[in-house]
Amino acid sequence: MTKDQIFEFFRRLAEDNPEPETELEYGNAYQLTVAVALSAQATDVGVNKATRALFAKVETPQQMLDLGLDGLIDHIKTIGLFNSKAKNVIALSQLLIEEYGGEVPDTREDLVRLPGVGRKTANVVLNCWFKQETFAVDTHILRVGNRTGLAKGKTPEAVEAKLEKRVPQPFRLHAHHWLILHGRYVCKARTPECWRCGQVDLCSFRKKVTEVPKGRA
């Protein structure tokens, strides 16, 4: 994609959805951090189902410690890898209390120190809560970046670096949300729904599916 094409790509996404948001449900920075940590290799829908009852009881790291490991597991046992995730959430809650006064830090360097929080999770928290211009590259963004020609790279880190260089203002704050939603609902993994994509003329994907498959609408 050229610079002009990239600008137009995001302009159209912004026109369709001016204020995109994560589909994870949360009430504060701590709940967001927990939700994103739980979402690894899980769907947002599945995480939300598990955390609604949990977040009705737990709003702070101390409340999570009071709930305890077994209590947490009971809430999130429908999520994949729930045992290891529960241990990480308890550990990150303890670290937040011991070193950050119970508050979620606002730098990537501090966030990735928390158990179970990698670069992608940190980027989501920085973007969604602290309104920093970060690019949290998940499988959807990795696919969309490569397929469209927007940001090609073999790893999330490589795609993130390309996005950092190529995404223009005023689209940088919301860019990763637009790309995730585009990959989740339009530029799907198995069959990209190019026939209903508003950016199809800008995309460099050679095997565009421009006709609606039988049985699809």
Side-chain angles (χ1 to χ4, degrees), residues 9 14 35 54-55 97-98 186:
F9 181 89
L54 173 65
F55 289 164
I97 292 171
E98 291 177 353
V186 180

Side-chain angles (χ1 to χ4, degrees), residues 61-215:
Q62 186 58 58
Q63 289 175 339
M64 187 68 78
L65 295 185
D66 293 341
L67 179 65
L69 180 62
D70 291 340
L72 174 57
I73 287 175
D74 191 51
H75 278 90
I76 68 168
K77 58 189 176 184
T78 56
I79 300 175
L81 306 175
F82 65 88
N83 277 315
S84 60
K85 290 179 180 179
K87 292 177 182 177
N88 282 334
V89 168
I90 293 297
L92 75 82
S93 301
Q94 186 69 51
L95 187 61
L96 286 174
I97 292 171
E98 291 177 353
E99 299 194 22
Y100 298 98
E103 299 294 327
V104 175
D106 62 357
T107 69
R108 185 184 293 114
E109 181 182 15
D110 285 324
L111 284 168
V112 297
R113 293 187 62 228
L114 303 175
V117 175
R119 185 180 181 88
K120 187 192 78 170
T121 298
N123 281 343
V124 173
V125 173
L126 292 173
N127 182 267
C128 294
W129 189 259
F130 295 106
K131 306 305 178 185
Q132 295 184 25
E133 296 174 355
T134 60
F135 303 91
V137 178
D138 66 353
T139 55
H140 295 299
I141 295 182
L142 187 69
R143 179 176 66 256
V144 172
N146 279 282
R147 184 182 278 169
T148 63
L150 171 65
K152 293 186 176 182
K154 294 183 179 180
T155 66
E157 292 77 14
V159 171
E160 181 184 345
K162 287 284 184 64
L163 291 172
E164 283 281 3
K165 292 180 179 180
R166 306 195 78 189
V167 178
Q169 293 291 9
F171 308 117
R172 294 177 64 84
L173 180 61
H174 294 316
H176 100 266
H177 286 307
W178 285 317
L179 294 174
I180 287 172
L181 295 172
H182 191 64
R184 185 174 291 165
Y185 297 113
V186 180
C187 196
K188 299 178 181 180
R190 289 190 177 181
T191 304
E193 299 183 359
C194 308
W195 67 87
R196 65 183 189 90
C197 176
Q199 292 74 35
V200 66
D201 58 310
L202 305 172
C203 174
S204 63
F205 186 49
R206 294 182 178 179
K207 299 180 181 179
K208 292 185 177 72
V209 185
T210 55
E211 295 185 5
V212 184
K214 293 182 179 179

